[in-house]
Amino acid sequence: MQEKGNVQVRLIPLYPLHDVRLIEGKLDEIMQMPYSEDYVWITIHDELPPPDAKVTLSVNFPNMMKFSVVNSRTKFDLDVSAAEAMENKTVAELFSDFYRLQNNDQPPGEMHMQVLEKVIRELEEKPDEAR
């Protein structure tokens, strides 16, 4: 940016470090897949999945973003209702959910939340500059 009204735009392509994929199947079949650092959402279709299924899968898929089980007891992926509820969440709640996904279900600390609140306030005070 130069003087007011003189703006130059330059497009820079972004290339993700890893692909994003959906993986579905039986736990045994998915464990046969090769190691991958892709960002994955894994849905297993096992009637009696072991309690440590998510941990077991994280060995081959360390960047697993979501894990769900669909079987005769669940009938549908309960996370669908969670996605619908997302529309009603505050920015702080969405940030907290994302932080927990990235940090082994550890909640963000007070300092993280203070920084988030500060950034939100700054964006609300200068809405035209943020766009």
Side-chain angles (χ1 to χ4, degrees):
M1 295 184 72
Q2 298 171 5
E3 69 273 356
K4 187 173 182 173
N6 189 1
V7 178
Q8 294 179 347
V9 177
R10 179 174 54 139
L11 298 178
I12 299 172
L14 297 177
Y15 301 101
L17 295 176
H18 308 289
D19 288 334
V20 176
R21 298 187 295 143
L22 300 174
I23 299 174
E24 290 192 58
K26 299 278 186 187
L27 179 62
D28 292 340
E29 296 167 356
I30 296 172
M31 284 305 299
Q32 299 294 324
M33 295 179 175
Y35 174 86
S36 173
E37 292 189 2
D38 289 350
Y39 299 113
V40 295
W41 170 356
I42 298 178
T43 302
I44 62 170
H45 296 274
D46 289 80
E47 285 301 315
L48 294 171
D52 65 343
K54 183 177 181 180
V55 174
T56 301
L57 287 167
S58 68
V59 171
N60 281 9
F61 303 97
N63 293 325
M64 182 176 10
M65 302 295 290
K66 187 171 179 182
F67 171 78
S68 54
V69 177
V70 176
N71 58 30
S72 62
R73 284 177 283 152
T74 61
K75 300 278 188 204
F76 59 93
D77 185 355
L78 295 177
D79 290 326
V80 171
S81 60
E84 292 168 355
M86 184 173 69
E87 295 176 8
N88 299 321
K89 289 187 177 186
T90 65
V91 172
E93 291 170 327
L94 292 170
F95 171 78
S96 181
D97 291 349
F98 178 75
Y99 187 92
R100 291 174 78 104
L101 279 172
Q102 296 298 310
N103 294 281
N104 290 331
D105 207 29
Q106 295 298 312
E110 184 63 32
M111 192 166 72
H112 293 105
M113 298 309 289
Q114 289 173 356
V115 169
L116 176 67
E117 289 170 12
K118 180 182 177 208
V119 169
I120 291 171
R121 273 194 313 273
E122 289 174 2
L123 290 171
E124 287 173 345
E125 290 170 5
K126 303 174 186 179
D128 293 333
E129 293 178 25
R131 293 180 187 160

